[in-house]
Amino acid sequence: MGSVMPCSPQAAYLQRAGVRTAVLEKRHVLGGAAVTEEIVPGTPAHPLSPCPQPALVGPAVPVLQRHGLRVLPRDPYSFTPLLEDRSPPRSLLLGHNMAQTQRQIAQFSQKDAQAYPEYEAFMGGLVSALDPLLDAPPVDTAALGQGSLLQRLMALQDLRPLLRAGLALGRQLPRYYEVLTAPISKILDQWFESEPLKATLATDAVIGAMASPHTPGSGYVLLHHVMGELEGRRGAWGYVAGGMGALSQAIACAAVAQGAHIFAEKVRGVRARGDGRAQGIVLQDGTEVRSKMVLSNASPQITFLELISQEQLPKDFVQRIQQVDTRSPVTKINVAVDRLPSFLAAPNARDGQPLPHHQCSIHLNCEGTHLLHQAFTEATHGHPSSRPMIELCIPSALDPELAPGGCHVVSLFTQYTPSVLAGGQPWDEQARNAYADTVFDCIEAYAPGFKASVIGRDILTPPDLERIFGLPGGNIFHGGMSLDQLYFVRPAPSYSGYRSPIPGLYLCGSGAHPGGGVMGAAGRNAAHVALKDFRCL
């Protein structure tokens, strides 16, 4: 057998290249965290992300569309209702129509409305320059100083994407460098004065990260969330028709169509030969599956600290994996409701049908960046945020087949919640429900009647996300997306190019370059590296 791996896009790439491939999925349902499961009978939910990251779209998308993938674009895409002493309260609706977006921003600041197109162009320039870096392995710095002169010259070719990015940035490089290294609050303060706009934009810089808008380097996370494109529109997001599980199914169908085999089997470990090379895996029941390559879509922590004997790895490498920052602020709450939320700032229509803002990422408790920082600070002291940052999505507003008539699925991506509570208290049922009640009380303030509409809910705290999906610390990115854990050093120095200290074992999930998000870039890049090595065997 050519290769074995958890279910992931690289299976299709490898099988298409002629490598016999078997996919082994830990859970009963394919897709890891990109799955669709019922909250209550008849109302499916997405345990984690309700939207695919735009970088997913690219060469793979036409293939996946032939296997059933449909992405429903969102426009408008962002809605921020406010709590304020006026009737009705104001709200901020952002979409792809620049004139309409500027009119929305002008409610808060004419100056900001005028600056917004320039800000979008500025950020677009940085994204265009960095985007190609997602589609190539990081520069192998070790290879630059090893081997023959010819080998070193060949290694220099890997510098081309980095050099092209530098040339594209040109004289703006110092300003762009500041965006990558500074707190996002500092960058936004340079552009805008209205707090609702700054807080709304800052959410993309801290989503999924144990970071505040005042944390240095948070600007990169914002860029990571707006890279890529959807149907030719850069930075656009959409809902997968049928839920995120439909994306995983399309990937699986593409792999099977090429001849790959998929099994729902738990892997106990990676088997290595006497010379240290990976030779396959061992299943939970002791069955051995022999292969020339093993690609792991699991986290670096599971791959190198659980699936392989640490005695076979360099001590400094093991130490680096153990030291990866995997703190997670995320508690995901999936909710089934019997009607759409009706916001004070944008009441529902009489017929109860979805309005444009219902298809958006709805940002609550985002009146100002100080609220995001306050929520973060509480979590750093071991306490769930008393006024958490809430990103509310209603995928059934665009995809009514997700719920029975009149009902809807609400996805709540909330933070900040620490993995470990103050005093070592457990995330037991009481703690989980107490936090969910806090979140629901917040939503009720913006949309009275929300709590009465709830049919069922599913609460996933950081420990739940780790236990169920194997996410270290509950971190959706398999490790923080801070600058000290990206590119050259993801997951560890000298091993950022998908190869590991065990020849034939590759890392191809979110813990590898370019990091987290439902994009498939790590899988595609890892497949290309593995194929290159396979042809030399």
Side-chain angles (χ1 to χ4, degrees):
M1 185 170 292
S3 63
V4 294
M5 65 200 69
C7 189
S8 50
Q10 58 270 20
Y13 289 112
L14 291 172
Q15 188 68 45
R16 186 172 63 184
V19 180
R20 292 183 61 209
T21 304
V23 177
L24 300 166
E25 169 66 56
K26 169 187 173 183
R27 300 185 69 224
H28 64 284
V29 57
L30 296 175
V35 295
T36 303
E37 298 180 278
E38 287 189 333
I39 311 169
V40 295
T43 54
H46 324 92
L48 280 178
S49 173
C51 307
Q53 185 144 345
L56 165 75
V57 300
V61 167
V63 176
L64 297 181
Q65 287 174 334
R66 291 197 292 272
H67 292 281
L69 176 66
R70 281 196 306 125
V71 180
L72 308 172
R74 305 186 305 166
D75 187 19
Y77 55 82
S78 174
F79 176 64
T80 305
L82 304 186
L83 290 180
E84 53 185 2
D85 295 328
R86 56 189 291 172
S87 184
R90 291 173 296 174
S91 62
L92 178 62
L93 189 69
L94 305 179
H96 297 301
N97 185 305
M98 183 58 72
Q100 292 179 2
T101 293
Q102 286 181 283
R103 283 195 291 272
Q104 286 282 314
I105 297 172
Q107 298 177 90
F108 306 96
S109 167
Q110 287 286 351
K111 176 185 173 185
D112 288 358
Q114 294 172 2
Y116 190 72
E118 185 181 350
Y119 165 82
E120 284 278 279
F122 175 79
M123 288 297 187
L126 181 52
V127 167
S128 296
L130 297 182
D131 216 9
L133 297 180
L134 271 63
D135 296 329
V139 175
D140 186 352
T141 53
L144 294 175
Q146 297 176 353
S148 66
L149 178 60
L150 179 60
Q151 290 173 320
R152 295 185 189 186
L153 290 174
M154 291 179 64
L156 282 174
Q157 296 180 13
D158 294 338
L159 285 171
R160 285 182 295 182
L162 201 59
L163 292 174
R164 281 197 294 266
L167 291 172
L169 296 175
R171 288 183 295 179
Q172 292 276 44
L173 182 58
R175 290 187 67 195
Y176 286 134
Y177 175 80
E178 185 179 28
V179 173
L180 296 175
T181 58
I184 193 60
S185 58
K186 176 183 177 182
I187 302 303
L188 294 173
D189 284 344
Q190 293 172 357
W191 285 93
F192 306 117
E193 60 186 10
S194 58
E195 280 298 319
L197 176 60
K198 289 190 288 185
T200 297
L201 297 175
T203 59
D204 272 341
V206 298
I207 194 79
M210 185 58 86
S212 155
H214 302 322
T215 302
S218 50
Y220 174 78
V221 181
L222 183 148
L223 291 173
H224 188 81
H225 281 92
V226 298
M227 290 181 178
E229 62 181 40
L230 179 61
E231 295 188 351
R233 187 179 294 277
R234 182 169 293 281
W237 289 61
Y239 293 124
V240 175
M244 288 299 287
L247 169 61
S248 296
Q249 289 299 321
I251 294 173
C253 288
V256 170
Q258 295 289 340
H261 298 273
I262 299 177
F263 305 94
E265 298 281 356
K266 290 185 178 180
V267 176
R268 190 169 75 192
V270 175
R271 180 59 59 96
R273 299 189 315 217
D275 61 1
R277 182 176 183 85
Q279 65 173 12
I281 50 93
V282 181
L283 302 181
Q284 204 67 39
D285 64 2
T287 302
E288 289 191 27
V289 181
R290 295 292 183 94
S291 70
K292 295 182 178 179
M293 300 187 302
V294 177
L295 285 80
S296 175
N297 202 27
S299 69
Q301 292 76 14
I302 289 177
T303 302
F304 300 117
L305 303 182
E306 296 183 23
L307 296 183
I308 193 81
S309 171
Q310 294 183 29
E311 295 177 355
Q312 297 177 285
L313 297 167
K315 289 184 178 179
D316 60 338
F317 177 81
V318 171
Q319 185 179 38
R320 291 298 296 241
I321 299 300
Q322 291 171 333
Q323 292 173 345
V324 171
D325 181 4
T326 59
R327 293 175 301 158
S328 169
V330 174
T331 287
K332 181 74 193 302
I333 308 175
N334 298 305
V335 190
V337 296
D338 62 13
R339 58 188 177 273
L340 284 167
S342 184
F343 296 92
L344 292 173
N348 286 0
R350 289 185 179 181
D351 62 5
Q353 292 302 303
L355 296 172
H357 66 271
H358 284 121
Q359 67 183 268
C360 298
S361 291
I362 300 172
H363 305 284
L364 306 182
N365 293 332
C366 289
E367 282 80 3
T369 54
H370 67 285
L371 293 175
L372 307 184
H373 181 69
Q374 177 183 316
F376 163 77
T377 301
E378 288 178 304
T380 60
H381 292 98
H383 304 289
S385 305
S386 58
R387 192 175 174 186
M389 182 184 103
I390 302 170
E391 183 174 286
L392 184 155
C393 293
I394 314 172
S396 52
L398 278 183
D399 187 8
E401 294 183 8
L402 286 175
C407 296
H408 285 275
V409 175
V410 176
S411 167
L412 302 174
F413 203 92
T414 77
Q415 52 192 82
Y416 297 80
T417 50
S419 297
V420 180
L421 296 173
Q425 294 297 311
W427 269 109
D428 55 20
E429 199 68 17
Q430 181 179 354
R432 293 161 76 244
N433 281 305
Y435 174 71
D437 289 343
T438 296
V439 172
F440 281 30
D441 287 342
C442 288
I443 300 173
E444 185 77 14
Y446 290 91
F450 174 79
K451 291 197 290 187
S453 73
V454 174
I455 302 170
R457 69 185 188 185
D458 181 35
I459 308 162
L460 298 169
T461 64
D464 296 323
L465 296 174
E466 180 166 27
R467 173 177 53 84
I468 298 170
F469 302 108
L471 301 173
N475 192 293
I476 62 172
F477 302 131
H478 289 188
M481 296 288 290
S482 53
L483 291 178
D484 63 319
Q485 294 188 169
L486 291 173
Y487 203 67
F488 293 117
V489 291
R490 193 171 188 91
S494 300
Y495 295 101
S496 60
Y498 310 104
R499 300 179 180 94
S500 77
I502 305 295
L505 174 61
Y506 304 82
L507 190 68
C508 57
S510 293
H513 170 77
V518 185
M519 64 171 77
R524 180 178 58 204
N525 295 345
H528 290 163
V529 171
L531 279 171
K532 181 180 178 181
D533 293 349
F534 184 77
R535 289 171 179 141
C536 296
L537 292 177

